Amino acid sequence: MNRTIQRVILATVTLGVAGAAFAQVKPEDEIRYRQSVMNVIGRNFGGVLGAMAKGERPYDQATAVKAATLVDMLSGLPANSFGPGTEKGAPTKADPKIWKDQAKFKAAYDKMVAEVAKLPAAAKDPAALKAQVAETGKACKACHDDFRLKEFRS
Amino acid sequence: MNRTIQRVILATVTLGVAGAAFAQVKPEDEIRYRQSVMNVIGRNFGGVLGAMAKGERPYDQATAVKAATLVDMLSGLPANSFGPGTEKGAPTKADPKIWKDQAKFKAAYDKMVAEVAKLPAAAKDPAALKAQVAETGKACKACHDDFRLKEFRS
């Protein structure tokens, strides 16, 4: 084996190891991350946009657009934290069905992301916001009904 | 007392109660919220921008600007979750000093927010990003050194 081939093999192996290290997930970190993102989404969707839609909080365009934009930026982040190996490792409400029917989970998740993506534009108008909060809430609820347990499991 | 005055008093009292309900915080929710936001900031600042600055992850302008914008939107959110009554209620690493020297804490917190605010522009260029990640990291560390405990307390 000449040195050039040796070097190519070494580089390939090194890259492979680096790639594996990069992709390596600590289940407890992924569980904590998806819970954190969902918590921030919940506070800003429910506590800001939902409260405005219900008239519990006065509508304010700048606040609404900011919260909607934030929720939109967050919505897709935890999708990568429900991958293989993250089924357990810390207390979680994630239903094990997620890992048994990834296609169905992904469809429910993507529906939420798609509805959330309409929030920033809708947030510019109180009536449009109210309607889009309702549609988004349905998508959240559908995924929670199917894939979120009522209590934490270990 | 005429009915108009009665109505004004009733409206004032009702608004006052609604205002109080709005401002009411559950300490455990505020603790969880500030931890959630910090976790999402940590993943996107450290895991994306910090990793790019250190060369552990390839620089990609779109990814960098997106992560920087997200961190910028998040940075100020938990400031309101360190208010009176949130010193304890769930395991936390927040140093009780925060509630004894709010002015010093606020100054350290605001310094972090100010450095984070420079990240989205800096993220457009790898050298600028690296420099601003270093400055932001210093502000994070300074506040953590002074106001974050090493271990959780109850």
Side-chain angles (χ1 to χ4, degrees), chain B residues 14-33:
Chain B
T14 308
L15 278 172
V17 170
F22 194 73
Q24 197 175 43
V25 293
K26 278 193 190 172
E28 64 270 32
D29 289 348
E30 296 307 311
I31 291 170
R32 192 170 154 237
Y33 186 59

Side-chain angles (χ1 to χ4, degrees), chain A residues 99-121:
Chain A
W99 290 268
K100 284 173 191 143
D101 195 344
Q102 287 262 309
K104 192 181 170 198
F105 172 67
K106 191 177 182 309
Y109 199 100
D110 289 350
K111 170 71 175 161
M112 178 277 287
V113 171
E115 293 300 337
V116 165
K118 298 175 195 166
L119 281 172

Side-chain angles (χ1 to χ4, degrees), chain A residues 16-113:
Chain A
V17 170
F22 194 74
Q24 197 176 41
V25 293
K26 278 193 190 171
E28 64 270 30
D29 289 348
E30 297 306 311
I31 291 170
R32 191 170 155 237
Y33 186 59
R34 66 197 190 209
Q35 290 170 343
S36 294
V37 177
M38 287 295 179
N39 185 17
V40 184
I41 289 176
R43 174 78 73 118
N44 289 279
F45 177 70
V48 180
L49 303 175
M52 285 181 186
K54 283 190 252 175
E56 293 169 0
R57 180 176 176 145
Y59 172 77
D60 173 74
Q61 194 189 56
T63 305
V65 169
K66 194 174 168 187
T69 304
L70 175 63
V71 172
D72 185 31
M73 292 190 76
L74 292 167
S75 65
L77 293 182
N80 297 322
S81 296
F82 288 98
T86 64
E87 184 176 338
K88 55 186 177 179
T92 175
K93 288 185 183 171
D95 196 305
K97 279 192 289 178
I98 291 169
W99 290 268
K100 284 173 191 143
D101 195 344
Q102 287 262 309
K104 192 181 170 198
F105 172 67
K106 191 177 182 309
Y109 199 100
D110 289 350
K111 170 71 175 161
M112 178 277 287
V113 171

Side-chain angles (χ1 to χ4, degrees), chain B residues 3 13 15-16 39 44-45 53 79 94 109 113 116 127 131 151-152:
Chain B
R3 291 191 70 94
V13 170
L15 278 172
N39 186 16
N44 289 278
F45 177 70
Y109 199 100
V113 170
V116 165
E151 304 292 336
F152 282 100

Side-chain angles (χ1 to χ4, degrees), chain A residues 125-150:
Chain A
D125 171 77
L129 175 64
K130 190 174 176 177
Q132 192 51 37
V133 162
E135 287 308 308
T136 308
K138 280 183 213 167
C140 297
K141 187 178 182 300
C143 197
H144 289 168
D145 283 351
D146 282 350
F147 295 110
R148 188 175 68 167
L149 303 174
K150 303 283 180 213

